[in-house]
Amino acid sequence: MSPSHGAALLALFGLLALTNGAAACPTQSALASNARCGVEYGAYIQFTYTNAAMWWFKERVVQGEPNECQPGTIDQTINPFQSRSGTIIDDVSNTNGPPGPLAPCRDLTQQTIFTGPTQSTVEQCPYYNGQLIQVTKTPAQVATSSDGATATCNY
């Protein structure tokens, strides 16, 4: 085999290694909607991942600081699930409202969303999001945010 054929084979093997290796992590974007200001207050955050249809997802949420609105702690991890579209929706809320008597207060949780192309590789791509529920007196409002997306409502 000539040196040029050997170099061509090495380049081909390198290309095969790239295409058979781990898939690139998709880009995450967030959209907040359906703000609520009642006994349950907060909003829904829709996370969309580019080119991740049929990928697997798993979420872990732990309590952050401050934790002023709803006492107690949160520490949850859900089982992996598959998304047909590459979009998932998260309910970021407290259930000790109405929020007015609690104002002013803030609750921060630390969310990690994991995704991967298979159930066994679901933790391949982690995304870290601080999720904040903030209740203010002036204006009388609840603002819920994650990954730069915010939804508000007046109580």
Side-chain angles (χ1 to χ4, degrees), residues 11-80:
L12 178 61
F13 287 135
L15 181 60
L16 286 173
L18 285 175
T19 57
N20 289 334
C25 291
T27 301
Q28 174 185 271
S29 62
L31 175 66
S33 64
N34 297 327
R36 299 178 309 279
C37 282
V39 173
E40 184 174 344
Y41 57 98
Y44 290 96
I45 310 293
Q46 175 180 297
F47 294 98
T48 301
Y49 299 86
T50 56
N51 301 315
M54 301 309 294
W55 276 41
W56 288 80
F57 291 85
K58 180 170 102 171
E59 177 191 39
R60 174 153 171 74
V61 179
V62 295
Q63 190 65 52
E65 289 292 330
N67 181 18
E68 303 163 339
C69 300
Q70 183 163 318
T73 60
I74 184 171
D75 187 349
Q76 78 178 45
T77 302
I78 64 169
N79 292 325

Side-chain angles (χ1 to χ4, degrees), residues 85-150:
S85 63
T87 297
I88 62 172
I89 297 175
D90 190 24
D91 181 1
V92 181
S93 62
N94 285 342
T95 58
N96 65 327
L102 305 169
C105 66
R106 298 174 298 153
D107 274 354
L108 179 67
T109 52
Q110 302 296 333
Q111 175 199 53
T112 307
I113 297 175
F114 300 96
T115 189
T118 66
Q119 187 173 8
S120 64
T121 62
V122 70
E123 293 188 10
Q124 175 180 307
C125 301
Y127 299 86
Y128 305 100
N129 302 305
Q131 299 182 309
L132 180 65
I133 298 174
Q134 183 166 335
V135 180
T136 57
K137 281 187 180 189
T138 308
Q141 188 174 76
V142 174
T144 306
S145 61
S146 182
D147 190 37
T150 302

